[in-house]
């Protein structure tokens, strides 16, 4: 999350009245960036990771754990730290970074170490008042030694964060807090469940960051919908779960706000856990990776080729089996966040059908997806991109598309942005409407940053240092820094293999969407199959690898088979297990199976002559990926579910009580610190793959 703008937010009615104006100015800013930066080049790919923490507060005397709502105090403590202040400052929202930069430059000129300048992590607020986001102090390079610094840096971030918390607080990396929204006390300090912004039955407004952007965002999503958000997660049916299940926490007699009628009008689905506020989605944590490409062409290639990998990595990182004090029958967070920010009106959802052939009365289109969804476009000018891969029913703003075409943008990219700009802006500050500034991107980002798709293509801002970027967004946060480092490094190495071997993972975008749904299934790694391309190799000669000492690059013995562009699209892909996608298939007769993503990465590493020591270190991370994919090691979701079900206080009724939650969070903290790895706690998730746990 970037720096938070300040200003006077418009009401929803005012925002709606200015939506077309903001879209128009946003496109003008995008075209200004396009004209200025379409030829922008950088020496090499750079990347960064984002780790999100949930801060918990223990009450050991009563065996209870709550969410700590002290985000502001923790960030202030970080900002005041004298040692950290000697660097660039690690809380840019609260510090004068320009002044710190000048001070640091003076120190460096006098011979001071530049370690703080290079490595000091950066902390940001997040939507939840119980959340923190941490990123490395500067982007990672592509050097293999940089990859080996990722895990220690992640450990350091957690240590720094913990050092600025109360003794009873700890930053955990779970996707969700198990008892957010339960009856009774689940926050510290405690607040009554009330508030005009969320209007929730289950959580107070105070769980959200009080910065005006966040409550306004939540309120405007609700106002635009004409009702509260509606989140229904299938409940896990255990031996003593009442069936059919009706969420016992719902109050059908509540009459505080007009939206309280939602539950009386069918918002609550049978056999589901019901939630009604943005906090249940945007209060979730994830692991995100952003790549800065050498140029726009490389960025567009990465956007396209990483897109089919999104659902695979979502399933592989599954870590979300608990909601609102119940066991869920799903393992990942994606659809819950999607529903939590779904601002579509009944007409846009198709619930209010107009007569056949007649236009919609109040809205411009029926929109098939939430603004938090899998992406719906491919954007690379790759000759292998067949029209059959595209979404034939993609909803776009034709006027915006034409304006971008007239401004010199190509059709694929113009269509991509014309699709994003079918949405309304959700938060507008009155101060931003006075004058269009083509030296800024605020209006463009207003729409771009609230399209939360599983891939995001990011034009450069108006500075010389930043290039075209691609954000990989589907992965779930993991319990340990080792796991988070492993998945981050794996995705980085996949991008290197894609570019070096000119790999082709294209499948129809509709199948990517289908795969995202499949990834939600409980134990999807073991029980589900995903559409995936059978032959990733190019039909044209392989490009030379920029990092190869020989000047050539090959995916390895037995891998180089030609790809035919003339086969029907349906013959290019098939259903594969996660194990087959990650570790490879056995061939049948003369037909070679899919080689596997990890073997492709290993062949890339062989092609660039990585030294033995570095190769062994990277192998630790690849082994974790391989064993998770094969089922030899459990996902976080499976481990959490098993912990709950085997707890002596659990009654096999799908309810996760205070005592179970306390012991679970304590166990998570112990695993994070590396206590009893391999032989004890968490061994089903980690085995012996992790040699250096956090301390």
């Amino acid at each position: 999350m970037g720096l938070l703008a300040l200003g006077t937010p418009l009401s929803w009615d005012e925002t709606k009245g200015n939506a077309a104006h903001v879209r128009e100015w946003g496109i003008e800013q995008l075209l200004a960036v396009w004209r200025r930066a379409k030829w922008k080049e950088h020496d090499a790919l750079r990347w960064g990771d984002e780790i999100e923490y949930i801060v918990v507060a223990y009450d050991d005397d009563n065996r209870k754990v709550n969410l700590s709502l002290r985000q502001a105090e923790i960030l202030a403590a970080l900002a005041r730290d004298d040692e950290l202040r000697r660097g660039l400052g690690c809380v840019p929202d609260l510090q004068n970074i320009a002044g710190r930069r000048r001070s640091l430059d003076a120190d460096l000129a006098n011979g001071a170490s530049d370690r703080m300048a290079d490595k000091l992590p950066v902390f940001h607020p997040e939507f939840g008042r119980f959340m923190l986001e941490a990123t490395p102090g500067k982007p990672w390079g592509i050097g293999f030694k940089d990859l080996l610094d990722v895990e220690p840096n992640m450990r350091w971030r957690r240590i720094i964060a913990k050092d600025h918390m109360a003794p009873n607080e700890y930053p955990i990396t779970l996707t969700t807090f198990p008892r957010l929204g339960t009856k009774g006390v689940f926050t510290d300090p405690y607040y009554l469940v009330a508030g005009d912004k969320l209007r929730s039955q289950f959580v107070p407004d105070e769980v959200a960051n009080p910065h005006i952007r966040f409550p306004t965002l939540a309120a405007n999503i609700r106002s635009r919908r004409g009702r509260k958000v509606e989140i229904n997660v299938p409940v896990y049916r255990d031996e003593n779960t009442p069936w059919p299940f009706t969420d016992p926490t719902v109050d059908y007699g509540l009459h505080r706000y007009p939206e309280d009628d939602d539950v009386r009008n069918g918002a609550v689905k049978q056999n589901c856990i019901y939630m009604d506020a943005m906090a249940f989605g945007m209060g979730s944590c994830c692991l995100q990776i952003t790549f800065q490409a050498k140029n726009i062409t490389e960025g567009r290639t990465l956007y396209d080729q990483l897109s089919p990998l999104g659902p695979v990595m979502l399933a592989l990182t599954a870590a979300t089996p608990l909601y609102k004090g119940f066991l869920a029958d799903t393992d990942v967070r994606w659809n819950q966040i999607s529903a939590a920010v779904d601002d579509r009106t009944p007409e846009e959802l198709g619930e209010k059908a107009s007569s056949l052939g007649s236009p919609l009365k109040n809205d411009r289109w029926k929109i098939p997806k939430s603004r938090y969804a899998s992406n719906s476009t491919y954007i690379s000018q790759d000759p292998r991109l067949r029209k059959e891969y595209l979404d034939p029913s993609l909803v776009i703003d034709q006027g915006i598309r034409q304006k971008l075409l007239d401004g010199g943008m190509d059709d694929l990219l113009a269509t991509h942005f014309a699709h994003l700009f079918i949405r309304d802006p959700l938060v507008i500050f009155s101060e931003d409407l006075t004058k269009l500034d083509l030296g800024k991107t605020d209006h463009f980002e207003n729409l771009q940053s609230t399209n939360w798709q599983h891939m995001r293509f990011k034009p450069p801002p108006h500075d010389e240092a930043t290039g075209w970027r691609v954000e990989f967004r589907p992965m779930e946060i993991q319990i340990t820094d080792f796991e988070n480092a492993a998945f981050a490094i794996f995705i980085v190495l996949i991008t290197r293999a894609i570019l070096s071997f000119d790999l082709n993972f294209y499948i129809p975008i509709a199948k990517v969407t289908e795969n995202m749904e499949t990834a939600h299934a409980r134990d999807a790694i073991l029980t589900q199959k995903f559409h995936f391309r059978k032959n990733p190799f190019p039909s044209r000669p392989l490009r030379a690898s920029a990092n190869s000492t020989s000047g050539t690059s090959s995916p390895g013995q037995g891998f180089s088979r030609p790809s035919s562009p003339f086969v029907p699209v349906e013959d290019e892909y098939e259903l594969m297990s996660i194990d087959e996608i990650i570790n490879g298939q056995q061939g049948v007769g003369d037909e070679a199976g899919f080689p596997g993503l990890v073997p492709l990465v290993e062949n890339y590493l062989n092609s660039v002559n990585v030294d033995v020591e570095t190769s062994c270190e990277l192998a630790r991370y690849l082994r974790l990926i391989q064993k998770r994919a094969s089922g030899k090691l459990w996902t976080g979701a499976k481990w959490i579910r098993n912990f709950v079900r085997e707890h002596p206080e659990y009654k096999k009724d799908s309810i996760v009580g205070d005592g179970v939650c306390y012991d679970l969070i304590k166990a998570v903290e112990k695993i994070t610190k590396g206590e009893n790895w391999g032989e004890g706690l968490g061994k089903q998730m980690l085995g012996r793959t992790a040699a250096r746990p956090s301390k």
Side-chain angles (χ1 to χ4, degrees):
M1 178 174 296
L3 299 182
L4 297 175
L6 293 172
T8 307
L10 302 184
S11 68
W12 170 245
D13 287 340
E14 293 169 326
T15 297
K16 186 176 181 180
N18 284 280
H21 183 54
V22 170
R23 279 192 293 268
E24 180 183 353
W25 279 11
I27 291 301
E28 291 291 346
Q29 289 179 334
L30 173 60
L31 283 171
V33 171
W34 170 257
R35 288 188 291 266
R36 175 185 55 81
K38 60 183 174 180
W39 305 117
K40 198 170 190 177
E41 292 274 345
H42 284 79
D43 292 337
L45 180 141
R46 303 168 77 192
W47 66 281
D49 66 86
E50 298 176 24
I51 298 286
E52 294 172 341
Y53 305 97
I54 290 174
V55 183
V56 296
Y58 293 112
D59 177 359
D60 292 325
D61 291 339
N62 295 301
R63 285 189 62 247
K64 185 171 173 60
V65 61
N66 293 315
L67 288 168
S68 170
L69 302 186
R70 293 195 329 108
Q71 178 194 86
E73 292 87 343
I74 294 166
L75 289 172
L78 286 161
R80 290 193 302 266
D81 187 297
D82 287 339
E83 183 178 356
L84 299 180
R85 284 160 63 94
R86 286 198 293 270
L88 285 179
C90 63
V91 190
D93 295 84
L94 300 179
Q95 294 169 313
N96 178 355
I97 297 304
R100 297 295 172 205
R101 176 74 256 180
R102 289 191 295 271
S103 175
L104 179 66
D105 288 343
D107 289 343
L108 294 178
N110 292 324
S113 169
D114 64 354
R115 179 177 180 276
M116 293 290 284
D118 285 347
K119 300 296 184 182
L120 188 67
V122 176
F123 293 89
H124 290 290
E126 263 293 346
F127 175 88
R129 208 162 149 191
F130 48 85
M131 301 170 71
L132 295 175
E133 177 190 291
T135 61
K138 69 173 187 178
W140 299 109
I142 193 52
F144 295 109
K145 296 300 183 184
D146 268 19
L147 296 181
L148 300 187
D149 286 341
V150 173
E151 183 185 350
N153 187 274
M154 289 180 175
R155 294 201 304 267
W156 188 34
R157 289 178 234 171
R158 198 189 300 258
I159 289 169
I160 290 175
K162 169 55 186 165
D163 285 347
H164 295 80
M165 295 178 184
N168 69 323
E169 293 175 333
Y170 192 78
I172 60 170
T173 41
L174 289 180
T175 48
T176 60
F177 182 70
R179 289 181 56 79
L180 173 66
T182 57
K183 295 294 185 182
V185 178
F186 56 86
T187 65
D188 183 8
Y190 169 74
Y191 292 94
L192 288 173
V193 175
D196 182 58
K197 299 302 182 183
L198 299 182
R199 300 189 180 183
S200 172
Q201 280 203 16
F202 309 111
V203 293
D205 276 6
E206 287 81 2
V207 300
N209 186 319
H211 185 285
I212 193 61
R213 178 178 186 270
F214 296 107
T216 303
L217 185 64
N220 284 355
I221 286 173
R222 188 191 68 251
S223 296
R224 191 183 189 284
R225 281 176 59 87
R227 52 189 170 176
K228 290 190 287 188
V229 295
E230 183 179 308
I231 311 164
N232 284 281
V233 182
V235 72
Y236 175 76
R237 184 178 185 179
D238 214 334
E239 296 173 17
N240 299 322
T241 305
W243 210 259
F245 176 87
T246 301
D247 191 329
T249 65
V250 177
D251 183 352
Y252 288 90
L254 195 62
H255 292 276
R256 287 184 301 196
Y257 300 107
E259 294 90 347
D260 291 331
D261 285 340
D262 291 355
V263 297
R264 293 180 285 274
N265 293 329
V268 184
K269 307 306 180 188
Q270 193 173 75
N271 300 329
C272 287
I273 307 158
Y274 170 71
M275 293 163 282
D276 66 351
M278 185 176 173
F280 288 107
M282 287 304 192
S284 303
C285 297
C286 66
L287 170 66
Q288 294 178 182
I289 311 297
T290 299
F291 300 97
Q292 179 175 276
K294 291 177 64 175
N295 50 43
I296 189 173
T297 300
E298 185 175 276
R300 293 169 74 164
T301 296
L302 289 178
Y303 178 93
D304 280 14
Q305 296 304 326
L306 288 174
S307 288
L309 272 60
V312 174
M313 298 308 297
L314 177 62
L316 196 58
T317 57
T320 319
L322 305 178
Y323 277 101
K324 213 180 69 171
F326 296 101
L327 274 172
D329 203 34
T330 57
D331 273 3
V332 300
R333 77 199 187 286
W334 192 266
N335 282 348
Q336 284 69 265
I337 308 179
S338 176
V341 295
D342 191 353
D343 68 333
R344 289 175 295 171
T345 67
E347 208 169 65
E348 289 170 335
L349 286 163
E351 295 175 354
K352 288 186 176 181
S354 55
S355 59
L356 188 63
S358 64
L360 302 179
K361 292 182 179 179
N362 301 306
D363 297 296
R364 297 186 293 167
W365 303 284
K366 292 181 183 178
I367 303 177
K369 292 181 181 179
S370 165
R371 60 199 302 155
Y372 195 112
S374 60
N375 51 296
S376 299
T377 58
Y378 287 125
I379 62 174
S380 176
Q381 293 176 303
D382 188 329
R384 300 172 300 184
L385 176 56
R386 301 172 64 169
K387 65 179 182 180
E388 295 94 333
Y389 301 152
L390 304 176
D391 182 356
S393 58
L394 184 72
V395 180
I396 65 171
D397 186 316
Q398 290 289 357
I400 285 176
R401 173 180 169 273
Q402 189 59 53
K403 187 167 187 174
L404 292 171
L405 292 173
D406 293 343
M409 191 175 289
D410 61 271
D411 183 64
L412 279 170
L413 204 55
T415 297
H416 168 76
F417 287 117
H419 169 63
L420 299 186
F421 271 62
I422 65 173
R423 311 289 178 173
D424 283 337
L426 291 172
V427 179
I428 300 175
F429 295 114
S430 61
E431 293 82 354
D432 295 334
L433 295 176
T434 57
K435 182 180 179 181
L436 172 62
D437 186 346
L438 294 180
K440 297 171 65 176
T441 57
D442 52 337
H443 297 293
F444 168 72
E445 289 295 342
N446 196 329
L447 275 300
Q448 160 95 343
S449 66
T450 54
N451 273 275
W452 296 282
Q453 298 185 346
H454 85 271
M455 298 292 303
R456 182 178 281 159
F457 184 66
K458 303 173 75 170
H462 288 276
D463 63 51
E464 292 300 319
T466 309
W468 296 90
R469 294 151 295 154
V470 175
E471 193 172 71
F472 188 75
R473 301 172 46 81
M475 293 190 291
E476 309 247 290
I477 198 74
Q478 303 295 287
I479 289 174
T480 68
D481 300 310
F482 166 70
E483 296 166 278
N484 287 315
F487 284 108
I489 289 167
F490 178 60
I491 288 297
V492 172
L493 292 174
I494 283 289
T495 66
R496 299 299 84 201
I498 287 170
L499 296 174
S500 295
F501 298 155
D502 206 16
L503 298 177
N504 176 8
F505 294 124
Y506 278 127
I507 60 173
I509 200 73
K511 296 301 179 184
V512 177
T513 300
E514 186 178 327
N515 284 346
M516 286 293 281
E517 294 300 314
T518 301
H520 285 73
R522 177 162 46 90
D523 291 329
I525 283 179
L526 300 178
T527 64
Q528 303 297 311
K529 292 197 172 186
F530 296 74
H531 301 284
F532 210 76
R533 191 177 185 89
K534 294 187 284 188
N535 180 5
F537 300 115
S539 56
R540 55 184 181 271
L542 292 167
R543 295 195 300 259
S545 167
N547 296 315
S548 174
T549 56
S550 65
T552 61
S553 176
S554 170
Q557 184 67 29
F559 280 3
S560 185
R561 63 186 192 275
S563 169
S564 170
F566 305 113
V567 300
V569 166
E570 293 77 13
D571 293 340
E572 293 181 337
Y573 60 90
E574 66 182 17
L575 287 169
M576 299 184 199
S577 67
I578 296 288
D579 187 24
E580 291 173 321
I581 294 169
I582 297 296
N583 294 317
Q585 293 176 314
Q586 294 293 326
V588 179
D590 295 332
E591 182 69 23
F594 181 74
L597 297 179
V598 167
L600 286 169
V601 164
E602 290 173 334
N603 275 267
Y604 163 70
L605 294 173
N606 290 337
S607 76
V608 292
N609 299 319
V610 179
D611 65 84
V612 173
E613 181 181 358
T614 301
S615 181
C616 289
E617 291 294 312
L618 295 176
R620 295 169 54 234
Y621 302 120
L622 296 181
R623 280 198 302 271
L624 176 74
I625 307 296
Q626 289 183 297
K627 290 183 178 181
R628 285 278 175 91
S630 69
K632 291 178 181 177
L633 292 178
W634 292 359
T635 62
K638 186 170 184 177
W639 182 85
I640 293 168
R641 188 186 305 279
N642 183 73
F643 184 97
V644 170
R645 296 195 71 231
E646 290 193 348
H647 194 282
E649 295 179 22
Y650 177 66
K651 299 177 182 179
K652 299 190 183 302
D653 56 0
S654 307
I655 296 174
V656 183
D658 276 325
V660 178
C661 181
Y662 174 85
D663 288 342
L664 171 64
I665 301 301
K666 282 289 187 180
V668 165
E669 181 183 347
K670 288 180 179 179
I671 293 171
T672 301
K673 292 178 175 178
E675 298 175 12
N676 301 320
W677 270 16
E679 298 299 331
L681 203 57
K683 65 180 180 180
Q684 303 99 326
M685 284 188 298
L686 300 168
R688 299 184 180 182
T689 56
R692 291 189 303 279
S694 306
K695 294 296 184 184

